[in-house]
Amino acid sequence: MTTTLNCKYCNEPLSGRADKIFCDPYCKSAFQYLKRKEKPKSLFEKVDKQLKLNRKILKQHNKIGVTTVREESLLDEGFNPKYFTNYWKNEKGDVYLFCYEYGFLRKFDKRKKLHRFVLVQWQAYMNSA
């Protein structure tokens, strides 16, 4: 009795070697991609992904080097202020948190009664502090 083996990815009948698993390199690559995608992400990958997203959002909103943005607009885009790479403390004692070269400081606007983020870009003078 002969058994016909099928490709693990596309389920087409295989011909050739007896231990063949995939019909061509494309099916092998696609199968491996799906397996990697199903695998749960490591903590490092999750943190790295959030840091990159935070940096991207800060960069989009801060085109001129310093600006102020409503907190909700950043949070709605997926920004998470708990993830940052470094910090800088100014002379007033305000601590700016940074995602790589883009920083933010959460402030309360008393006049409008809402939170805002002051966005800055890393400057050379911040290295000496």
Side-chain angles (χ1 to χ4, degrees):
M1 178 178 188
T2 60
T3 58
T4 313
L5 296 175
N6 294 336
C7 175
K8 271 184 134 178
Y9 181 71
C10 68
N11 212 23
E12 291 292 318
L14 295 173
S15 62
R17 296 189 350 228
D19 62 343
K20 197 170 181 182
I21 299 172
F22 302 102
C23 57
D24 60 25
Y26 171 80
C27 283
K28 182 178 181 180
S29 178
F31 181 80
Q32 295 298 330
Y33 174 76
L34 285 177
K35 282 192 71 149
R36 269 195 311 276
K37 209 170 164 188
E38 292 171 358
K39 185 177 152 186
K41 292 189 185 279
S42 69
L43 177 62
F44 171 79
E45 290 170 321
K46 290 176 185 175
V47 170
D48 189 51
K49 183 179 178 181
Q50 185 63 52
L51 285 171
K52 287 177 181 176
L53 177 63
N54 281 359
R55 182 190 179 276
K56 179 182 171 187
I57 293 168
L58 291 172
K59 183 179 179 183
Q60 286 173 347
H61 286 276
N62 190 2
K63 301 278 186 208
I64 59 171
V66 62
T67 190
T68 305
V69 180
R70 283 190 8 236
E71 180 181 43
E72 299 82 35
S73 64
L74 293 182
L75 298 179
D76 289 346
E77 292 181 44
F79 181 77
N80 187 338
K82 293 179 184 177
Y83 291 86
F84 58 93
T85 56
N86 55 318
Y87 67 92
W88 174 71
K89 189 174 185 178
N90 67 10
E91 290 117 17
K92 295 180 191 175
D94 297 328
V95 178
Y96 287 81
L97 303 176
F98 281 81
C99 290
Y100 306 104
E101 73 274 26
Y102 295 98
F104 59 96
L105 173 68
R106 187 171 186 244
K107 288 265 196 181
F108 184 71
D109 187 341
K110 294 175 187 170
R111 195 170 42 100
K112 295 189 178 182
K113 295 184 171 92
L114 54 88
H115 284 96
R116 294 185 176 272
F117 280 115
V118 177
L119 307 183
V120 297
Q121 204 166 353
W122 188 265
Q123 303 294 319
Y125 69 86
M126 295 175 177
N127 288 330
S128 62

